[in-house]
């Protein structure tokens, strides 16, 4: 039984990794015009190294860092949207066009997000890392309170 769980977990993580990297690669190629390998390879190697060396604490730390970074980006975006930002008709036309690559990236990203939500191994790592049932209950309650205020 444990062998099957391990095989299924590895298969899922492989599919998730491929979907995530494909989505990022498509976005890098379409938005920056770069070869996706030039951006994805260094990020993938760095992620593999710090996760291999530091394990779960590194994963939790980088999740926190991503949360703080995204909060900062949201604040900057809101300020930009409500400031004296003016977008002309030409700019709107250039970004509001149908693009097969954009749709492909959208679909890939949706599948990656759905897969991550259904089988997120990070959640289970944190469950198994809890020091006991009380810690797990408190962590779940706190996390739920943050999501659903």
């Amino acid at each position: 039984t444990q062998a099957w769980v391990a095989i299924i977990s590895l298969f899922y993580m492989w599919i998730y990794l491929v979907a995530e990297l494909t989505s990022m690669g498509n976005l890098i190629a379409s938005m920056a015009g770069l070869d996706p390998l030039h951006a994805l390879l260094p990020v993938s190697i760095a992620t593999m190294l710090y996760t291999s060396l530091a394990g779960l604490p590194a994963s939790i730390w980088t999740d926190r860092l991503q949360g703080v970074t995204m909060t900062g980006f949201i604040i900057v975006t809101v300020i930009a949207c409500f400031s004296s930002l003016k977008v002309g008709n030409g700019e709107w036309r250039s970004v509001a066009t149908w693009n097969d690559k954009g749709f492909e990236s959208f679909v890939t990203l949706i599948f990656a997000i759905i897969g991550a939500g259904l089988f997120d191994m990070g959640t289970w790592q944190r469950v198994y890392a809890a020091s006991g049932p009380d810690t797990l209950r408190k962590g779940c309650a706190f996390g739920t309170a943050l999501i659903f205020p």
Side-chain angles (χ1 to χ4, degrees):
T1 303
Q2 289 179 343
W4 280 111
V5 170
I7 290 168
I8 291 169
S9 295
L10 287 172
F11 176 72
Y12 159 74
M13 290 306 293
W14 176 255
I15 296 299
Y16 175 72
L17 179 67
V18 168
E20 188 172 331
L21 292 176
T22 301
S23 180
M24 288 186 343
N26 288 341
L27 290 173
I28 290 166
S30 65
M31 295 179 82
L34 297 174
D35 179 14
L37 281 179
H38 289 111
L40 291 178
L41 207 54
V43 170
S44 298
I45 290 171
T47 303
M48 183 180 62
L49 284 175
Y50 78 73
T51 305
S52 298
L53 295 174
L56 182 61
S59 175
I60 292 171
W61 186 84
T62 56
D63 287 351
R64 287 181 184 157
L65 181 64
Q66 288 172 5
V68 169
T69 303
M70 291 306 295
T71 302
F73 283 146
I74 289 170
I75 291 169
V76 168
T77 302
V78 168
I79 291 171
C81 287
F82 290 107
S83 67
S84 61
L85 180 68
K86 302 242 187 284
V87 179
N89 288 335
E91 288 88 3
W92 277 117
R93 272 190 238 112
S94 69
V95 297
T97 58
W98 176 259
N99 186 335
D100 288 342
K101 280 290 185 189
F103 182 73
E104 181 181 317
S105 296
F106 169 74
V107 171
T108 306
L109 185 61
I110 292 300
F111 281 127
I113 290 171
I114 289 171
L118 292 174
F119 301 108
D120 187 12
M121 295 300 159
T123 302
W124 294 110
Q125 286 176 350
R126 285 158 181 80
V127 166
Y128 294 129
S131 61
D134 289 337
T135 306
L136 179 60
R137 283 188 196 100
K138 288 176 189 175
C140 287
F142 182 69
T144 301
L146 288 175
I147 295 171
F148 302 108

